Amino acid sequence: MVGQNERVAAYAERYECRAMVLREHPRCLRALMIANRLLTLLFYGAYGALLLVEALHAPLRLVPLAGIPAVAFGLISLFRRRFNAPRPYERCAFTPLIPREGVGRSFPSRHAFSAFAIATCWFVASASVAVALMTCAGALGWCRVLGGVHFPRDIVAGALAGILTGAATFAAALLMA
């Protein structure tokens, strides 16, 4: 059975191999940083657009569309503060490709939670937009892992929590039609 120290060392070694390739190709590294930023901004815009669409189409839906994700985001934030899981760069002692100040509060990823929750909420208005946003949410999660600021488990947990939150929001919004 592989011990915790061996797993950490193996993860650090795998990360450094991937990071070295990107550090040797500054354009690829810049593309990673731009993708991380643009995908994050995409979800801010997507959420605002969804609220606007629903305000014009079915204003009562704004209650669950704004309320449920806000409560869930708060609960995720409280859990992260209490659980305070270390980030990969802390645990494995490497320099992340995506610069980040601060330590801890890695599990679950709020970026992944928010992106998947917003994508799932979009099923209320447009399945095709929701599916496209799901793909973008996956890409954002991948950027966060490749960038060294989250472990894959952080992304998976955030994605699952986001999908469950989005599904609950979707169900409640349909009742408000």
Side-chain angles (χ1 to χ4, degrees):
M1 185 166 173
V2 179
Q4 184 71 14
N5 290 338
E6 290 87 6
R7 283 195 305 264
V8 168
Y11 186 89
E13 186 177 328
R14 285 190 311 273
Y15 179 81
E16 283 299 338
C17 286
R18 289 188 299 265
M20 182 176 60
V21 171
L22 289 172
R23 286 186 182 111
E24 290 173 354
H25 297 90
R27 286 185 179 164
C28 293
L29 179 57
R30 181 143 171 78
L32 172 68
M33 302 206 16
I34 290 170
N36 179 65
R37 184 69 181 140
L38 289 179
L39 287 167
T40 301
L41 292 173
L42 168 71
F43 284 98
Y44 289 136
Y47 190 51
L50 175 62
L51 295 178
L52 180 61
V53 164
E54 290 305 309
L56 297 172
H57 179 261
L60 287 178
R61 288 184 178 172
L62 291 176
V63 174
L65 284 169
I68 294 172
V71 169
F73 186 85
L75 292 173
I76 291 282
S77 297
L78 288 172
F79 177 82
R80 282 166 41 111
R81 186 173 299 138
R82 181 159 294 234
F83 191 67
N84 201 24
R87 293 191 175 265
Y89 58 84
E90 296 173 76
R91 187 80 193 248
C92 301
F94 58 70
T95 302
L97 295 173
I98 295 175
R100 185 180 188 289
E101 292 183 20
V103 295
R105 299 180 183 170
S106 181
F107 180 86
S109 165
R110 283 192 308 196
H111 276 81
F113 166 79
S114 298
F116 279 94
I118 291 165
T120 306
C121 286
W122 257 96
F123 277 105
V124 166
S126 170
S128 59
V129 171
V131 170
L133 288 173
M134 285 286 190
T135 303
C136 292
L140 178 59
W142 179 82
C143 287
R144 306 293 290 169
V145 171
L146 186 58
V149 295
H150 280 294
F151 287 109
R153 68 160 193 236
D154 303 338
I155 301 301
V156 170
L160 290 174
I163 290 167
L164 290 173
T165 297
T169 303
F170 170 77
L174 288 181
L175 295 175
M176 304 295 281

